Coordinates of all heavy atoms in Angstrom, one line a residue:
S5 N 0.9 4.2 -2.7 CA 0.8 5.7 -2.3 C 1.8 6.5 -2.8 O 1.7 7.6 -3.3 CB 0.6 5.8 -0.8 OG -0.5 5.0 -0.4
G15 N -3.9 13.2 -10.7 CA -5.2 13.9 -10.5 C -6.1 13.9 -11.7 O -7.3 13.8 -11.5
N27 N -20.7 8.0 -14.3 CA -21.5 8.2 -15.5 C -22.2 6.8 -15.9 O -23.4 6.8 -16.0 CB -20.9 8.8 -16.6 CG -21.9 9.3 -17.6 OD1 -22.8 10.0 -17.3 ND2 -21.6 9.2 -18.9
P40 N -23.6 11.7 -11.7 CA -22.1 11.6 -12.0 C -21.3 12.5 -11.2 O -20.2 12.1 -10.7 CB -22.1 11.7 -13.5 CG -23.4 11.5 -14.0 CD -24.3 11.8 -13.0
N56 N -3.9 7.7 1.3 CA -3.3 8.8 1.9 C -2.6 9.9 1.2 O -1.5 10.2 1.2 CB -2.3 8.1 3.0 CG -1.8 9.2 4.0 OD1 -2.5 10.2 4.3 ND2 -0.5 9.1 4.5
Y62 N -3.3 15.8 -5.4 CA -4.3 15.6 -6.4 C -4.7 16.8 -7.3 O -4.6 16.7 -8.5 CB -5.6 15.1 -5.6 CG -6.9 15.4 -6.5 CD1 -7.2 14.4 -7.5 CD2 -7.8 16.4 -6.3 CE1 -8.3 14.4 -8.3 CE2 -8.9 16.5 -7.2 CZ -9.2 15.5 -8.0 OH -10.2 15.7 -8.9
L72 N -10.1 23.9 -19.2 CA -11.2 23.6 -20.1 C -12.5 24.4 -19.8 O -13.3 24.4 -20.6 CB -11.6 22.1 -20.2 CG -10.4 21.1 -20.6 CD1 -10.9 19.6 -20.4 CD2 -10.0 21.4 -22.0
T77 N -17.4 27.3 -21.4 CA -18.2 28.4 -21.1 C -18.6 29.1 -22.4 O -19.7 29.4 -22.6 CB -17.7 29.4 -20.0 OG1 -17.3 28.8 -18.8 CG2 -18.7 30.6 -19.9
Y85 N -27.2 30.2 -29.7 CA -27.4 30.7 -31.1 C -28.3 29.8 -31.9 O -29.2 30.4 -32.6 CB -26.0 30.7 -31.8 CG -26.0 31.1 -33.3 CD1 -26.2 32.3 -33.7 CD2 -26.0 30.1 -34.2 CE1 -26.3 32.7 -35.1 CE2 -26.1 30.3 -35.6 CZ -26.3 31.7 -36.0 OH -26.4 32.1 -37.3
K90 N -36.1 31.4 -30.1 CA -36.9 31.1 -28.9 C -36.5 32.2 -27.8 O -37.2 32.7 -27.0 CB -36.6 29.8 -28.1 CG -37.3 28.6 -28.9 CD -37.4 27.5 -28.0 CE -38.3 26.3 -28.8 NZ -38.6 25.2 -27.9
G105 N -36.5 34.8 -9.6 CA -35.7 33.9 -9.0 C -34.8 34.5 -8.0 O -34.5 34.1 -6.9
I113 N -33.3 33.9 1.9 CA -32.1 33.9 2.7 C -32.2 34.9 3.9 O -31.8 34.7 5.0 CB -30.9 34.3 1.9 CG1 -30.6 33.2 0.8 CG2 -29.5 34.5 2.6 CD1 -30.2 31.8 1.3
T136 N -22.6 32.1 -10.4 CA -21.5 31.5 -10.7 C -20.3 31.9 -9.8 O -20.3 33.0 -9.2 CB -21.1 31.8 -12.2 OG1 -20.0 31.1 -12.5 CG2 -20.8 33.3 -12.3
N166 N -28.4 20.2 -9.8 CA -27.9 19.1 -10.7 C -28.7 17.7 -10.3 O -29.1 17.0 -11.3 CB -26.4 18.8 -10.7 CG -25.9 17.9 -11.6 OD1 -25.9 16.7 -11.5 ND2 -25.5 18.3 -12.8
F172 N -37.7 18.2 -9.4 CA -38.5 19.4 -9.1 C -39.4 19.7 -10.2 O -40.5 20.1 -10.1 CB -37.7 20.5 -8.5 CG -37.4 20.4 -7.1 CD1 -36.1 20.3 -6.7 CD2 -38.3 20.4 -6.1 CE1 -35.8 20.1 -5.3 CE2 -38.2 20.2 -4.8 CZ -36.7 20.2 -4.4
I175 N -42.3 17.3 -10.2 CA -43.2 17.5 -9.1 C -44.1 18.7 -9.3 O -45.3 18.7 -9.1 CB -42.4 17.8 -7.8 CG1 -41.4 16.5 -7.3 CG2 -43.3 18.3 -6.6 CD1 -40.6 16.7 -6.0
R177 N -44.6 20.0 -12.2 CA -45.2 19.9 -13.7 C -44.7 21.0 -14.5 O -45.6 21.7 -15.2 CB -46.8 19.8 -13.5 CG -47.2 18.6 -12.7 CD -48.7 18.5 -12.8 NE -49.2 17.4 -11.9 CZ -50.5 17.2 -11.6 NH1 -51.4 17.9 -12.2 NH2 -50.8 16.0 -10.9
F201 N -28.8 20.5 -19.8 CA -28.5 20.0 -21.1 C -28.9 18.6 -21.2 O -29.1 17.9 -22.3 CB -27.0 20.0 -21.4 CG -26.6 21.3 -22.0 CD1 -25.9 22.3 -21.3 CD2 -27.0 21.6 -23.4 CE1 -25.5 23.5 -22.0 CE2 -26.6 22.8 -24.0 CZ -25.9 23.8 -23.2
G204 N -32.4 18.7 -22.5 CA -32.7 19.1 -23.9 C -31.8 20.3 -24.3 O -31.3 21.0 -23.4
T206 N -32.7 23.1 -25.8 CA -33.2 24.3 -25.5 C -33.0 24.7 -24.0 O -32.8 25.8 -23.7 CB -34.8 24.3 -25.7 OG1 -35.0 24.1 -27.2 CG2 -35.4 25.6 -25.4
E207 N -33.4 23.6 -23.2 CA -33.1 23.9 -21.8 C -31.7 24.3 -21.5 O -31.4 25.2 -20.6 CB -33.5 22.5 -21.0 CG -34.9 22.3 -20.9 CD -35.4 21.4 -22.1 OE1 -34.8 21.5 -23.1 OE2 -36.4 20.9 -21.9
G212 N -27.7 28.3 -19.8 CA -26.5 29.0 -20.0 C -26.6 30.5 -20.0 O -25.7 31.2 -19.5
S214 N -29.0 32.1 -18.5 CA -29.4 32.6 -17.3 C -28.3 32.8 -16.3 O -28.3 33.6 -15.4 CB -30.4 31.5 -16.6 OG -31.6 31.3 -17.5
V220 N -25.2 39.1 -13.5 CA -25.2 40.6 -13.7 C -26.3 41.2 -12.8 O -26.1 42.3 -12.1 CB -25.4 40.9 -15.1 CG1 -25.6 42.4 -15.3 CG2 -24.3 40.5 -16.0
T222 N -27.7 40.0 -10.2 CA -27.5 39.9 -8.7 C -26.6 41.0 -8.3 O -26.7 41.4 -7.1 CB -26.9 38.5 -8.5 OG1 -27.9 37.5 -8.8 CG2 -26.5 38.3 -7.0
V223 N -25.6 41.3 -9.1 CA -24.6 42.4 -8.8 C -25.4 43.6 -8.4 O -25.1 44.5 -7.7 CB -23.7 42.6 -9.9 CG1 -22.8 43.8 -9.5 CG2 -22.7 41.4 -9.9
F228 N -29.3 45.9 -2.2 CA -30.6 46.0 -1.4 C -30.7 45.0 -0.3 O -31.0 45.4 0.8 CB -31.8 46.0 -2.4 CG -33.0 45.8 -1.7 CD1 -33.6 46.9 -1.3 CD2 -33.7 44.5 -1.6 CE1 -35.0 46.7 -0.6 CE2 -34.9 44.4 -1.0 CZ -35.6 45.5 -0.5
L232 N -30.4 44.9 4.4 CA -31.7 44.5 5.3 C -31.2 43.9 6.5 O -32.0 44.0 7.5 CB -32.4 43.4 4.4 CG -33.1 44.0 3.2 CD1 -33.9 42.8 2.5 CD2 -34.1 45.0 3.5
L233 N -30.0 43.3 6.7 CA -29.6 42.7 8.0 C -28.2 43.2 8.4 O -27.4 43.3 7.6 CB -29.7 41.2 7.7 CG -29.4 40.3 8.9 CD1 -30.5 40.5 9.9 CD2 -29.3 38.9 8.5

Side-chain angles (χ1 to χ4, degrees):
S5 298
N27 193 49
N56 194 29
Y62 161 75
L72 300 176
T77 303
Y85 173 77
K90 285 198 173 184
I113 295 299
T136 187
N166 186 274
F172 278 115
I175 291 175
R177 299 180 181 178
F201 272 109
T206 300
E207 287 88 339
S214 298
V220 172
T222 298
V223 171
F228 166 77
L232 291 181
L233 187 64

